[in-house]
Amino acid sequence: MMLQRFIITISVVGCVAALGACSSTGPLTETDPRDPYEQGNRNIFAFNMGVDDVILEPVARGYRSLPDAAQHGITNHARWTSYPSTAVNSTLQGKFENAGLATIHFLINGLTLGFVDLTEDDDDPVREDFGQTLAHWSTPQGPYVMMPFIGPGTARSHGGWLLDSVTNPLGWLGEPTAATVQATSGPVSAVTFRGNNFDTINDVKYNSADPYARTRSVYYQYREGQLRDGDTSEPSAADDAFDAFLNDEDSQ
Amino acid sequence: MIVLRRMLAVFLLTIAMPHMTMAEERIDESTELVNRLVTHIQGLVNSNPDAMTIRAETDAVIHQYFDYDLIARFAAGNAWRSASDDQRSRYKTVFREVMLSLAETQFDYFKTLEYKAKAVIPKGRKLVIVSGTIHDRSGQFPDATVNWRVSTKPGKPARIIDIEIENISMLITQQQEHTAIINQNGGSFEALIEALTEQANDIRSGKFN
């Protein structure tokens, strides 16, 4: 819990300081209207890349050298710690089936602290966070914000993350094991995420002409996919962009 | 009254039929194009090619299955309009070089991938989305949804213009990245060409691997 509070405090303080430092740079170097604090965000991104160089990438490399069974176990555990939050947020969004699924998976796999998936169920609960709940309640997404240690997001998604950290039902259990699990869930999730997406993240980091801009673009598209829940009945932002482009091409 | 209704139905069908046939043709042509591409890549993977062959074959694949002119124009964003002919030509060359270098260095990923077609969705008159799933036999990556955006402009052969994996469009990502580089450099298209040249060199030098 202490560790989690420390990361939250550092993130918020670092973010405010970096964004404050850039507030006078004006819109000259702003490259996306969704990102009004771009220069500050770029500074934080550079900091995060430094942390990745020194800590996350080497640790994730170590994680990848573990036997497959160990990697699966740790990934399962990281996913398991998110089930209480998924259950709460699914309920708040009216997705009761997903909430039930998350609760069942949490209770059954709790016998092994989530390291082993005892359900043997192909139908895994879909991760739902408070940022998605806020979007469901039509809260505006706000500006793009790069947080130290945490990474990319919008004001809404970071606010949701903060609420998820505070309201995670694991913390309500009030017993030492739950507290330890909750305290380590952030770093464990970070390592498993980095390890499971090792090549994809390295591709962005080392093969991009502008890693910051690519990260921002990927974040928005991926998040849109999460918020749409796979619904293809309405055109996505990408569909609209291609439609406008092809019509524009024809009119020339 | 019944006769009148029948006549109206026949009339409407006569009008609608050519459009329905056209839509079906676009769907068939797009599906066939993606299937041929997948078969082509599988054949290439099975032949254990060397780096030079991968490069040459990727170039042939871009030429045969993709509308590269359209892709380059889209990826350059609004700056394309104000760029000179010389800049456009150099941009197209260096952007293609980035794509070829990426294919060359990341070809190994294709070795364990399997593609399964899922659905075909026409989007307006000029676009068809062919949807499928990629499965990694090695278990390193979870199954992923892939959407191929196929341009089906009337009177032109169907060509792929974008690949979208798990809702992330490769071309939208490129466009936003290229636009950011141009804007970061005071609207200079030249800066984008320089950045892409550097990127191609970095990829070839194996910084990532």
Side-chain angles (χ1 to χ4, degrees), chain A residues 84-95 98-99 126-141 154 156-161 163-164 167 223 226-229:
Chain A
S85 168
T86 292
V88 171
N89 285 298
S90 297
T91 307
L92 292 171
Q93 293 171 49
K95 297 171 184 169
N98 199 49
V126 178
R127 174 103 174 84
E128 296 287 345
D129 57 45
F130 213 93
Q132 286 161 280
T133 302
L134 291 173
H136 182 78
W137 292 343
S138 305
T139 310
Q141 64 177 350
T154 59
R156 180 178 66 199
S157 72
H158 284 312
W161 173 81
L163 284 167
D164 273 329
T167 59
R223 191 63 174 167
Q226 281 185 320
L227 296 176
R228 285 162 63 90
D229 280 329

Side-chain angles (χ1 to χ4, degrees), chain A residues 7 9 25 27 88 119 141 145 159:
Chain A
I7 292 174
T9 311
T25 55
V88 171
T119 60
Q141 64 177 350
V145 181

Side-chain angles (χ1 to χ4, degrees), chain A residues 177-227:
Chain A
T177 313
T180 310
V181 166
Q182 197 188 359
T184 54
S185 67
V188 170
S189 298
V191 171
T192 53
F193 179 79
R194 184 66 173 91
N196 294 335
N197 298 282
F198 195 77
D199 291 334
T200 311
I201 293 173
N202 275 4
D203 183 38
V204 173
K205 194 174 162 188
Y206 299 117
N207 283 343
S208 307
D210 185 343
Y212 173 82
R214 188 177 288 195
T215 303
R216 181 176 61 196
S217 175
V218 167
Y219 168 76
Y220 271 109
Q221 292 180 70
Y222 183 72
R223 191 63 174 167
E224 189 199 353
Q226 281 185 320
L227 296 176

Side-chain angles (χ1 to χ4, degrees), chain B residues 161-177:
Chain B
I161 57 170
D162 183 37
I163 305 170
E164 188 179 83
I165 299 171
E166 287 295 310
N167 214 58
I168 296 165
S169 149
M170 302 294 116
L171 199 49
I172 296 269
T173 308
Q174 291 295 340
Q175 188 196 56
Q176 293 183 346
E177 188 177 345

Side-chain angles (χ1 to χ4, degrees), chain A residues 246 250, chain B residues 22-23 25-31 33 67 70 121-130 149-161:
Chain A
L246 291 173
D250 280 356
Chain B
M22 268 171 62
E25 273 174 13
R26 287 168 53 218
I27 288 173
D28 290 348
E29 202 184 351
S30 305
T31 312
L33 180 74
D67 188 336
L70 213 61
I121 311 153
K123 293 268 178 184
R125 281 176 51 243
K126 299 162 203 156
L127 211 60
V128 168
I129 296 182
V130 180
R149 279 201 173 81
V150 182
S151 160
T152 54
K153 285 185 171 183
K156 289 190 171 179
R159 285 286 178 271
I160 298 163
I161 57 170

Side-chain angles (χ1 to χ4, degrees), chain B residues 24-183:
Chain B
E24 280 167 13
E25 273 174 13
R26 287 168 53 218
I27 288 173
D28 290 348
E29 202 184 351
S30 305
T31 312
E32 166 74 7
L33 180 74
V34 171
N35 289 344
R36 272 193 291 125
L37 170 65
V38 171
T39 311
H40 191 133
I41 293 173
Q42 276 169 348
L44 182 62
V45 167
N46 293 337
S47 68
N48 274 327
D50 58 18
M52 265 181 69
T53 313
I54 293 170
R55 206 178 169 75
E57 280 292 325
T58 308
D59 206 26
V61 161
I62 292 174
H63 181 73
Q64 218 174 321
Y65 301 96
F66 291 79
D67 188 336
Y68 181 67
D69 278 347
L70 213 61
I71 289 171
R73 283 206 291 276
F74 188 94
N78 289 336
W80 179 264
R81 289 182 190 162
S82 52
S84 68
D85 285 347
D86 172 56
Q87 284 177 321
R88 287 176 179 182
S89 164
R90 283 187 293 126
Y91 168 78
K92 279 167 75 173
T93 306
V94 73
F95 183 41
R96 197 178 185 111
E97 183 56 37
V98 169
M99 289 164 73
L100 294 178
S101 303
L102 274 174
E104 194 183 318
T105 54
Q106 302 190 355
F107 186 76
D108 281 352
Y109 290 123
F110 291 106
K111 289 182 177 167
T112 53
L113 298 185
E114 279 170 359
Y115 172 74
K116 199 183 278 180
K118 215 166 59 181
V120 189
I121 311 153
K123 293 268 178 184
R125 281 176 51 243
K126 299 162 203 156
L127 211 60
V128 168
I129 296 182
V130 180
S131 193
T133 310
I134 300 176
H135 171 70
D136 179 19
R137 285 194 306 271
S138 76
Q140 195 188 343
F141 304 107
D143 286 2
T145 303
V146 58
N147 292 326
W148 312 82
R149 279 201 173 81
V150 182
S151 160
T152 54
K153 285 185 171 183
K156 289 190 171 179
R159 285 286 178 271
I160 298 163
I161 57 170
D162 183 37
I163 305 170
E164 188 179 83
I165 299 171
E166 287 295 310
N167 214 58
I168 296 165
S169 149
M170 302 294 116
L171 199 49
I172 296 269
T173 308
Q174 291 295 340
Q175 188 196 56
Q176 293 183 346
E177 188 177 345
H178 292 181
T179 304
I181 294 168
I182 292 170
N183 291 350

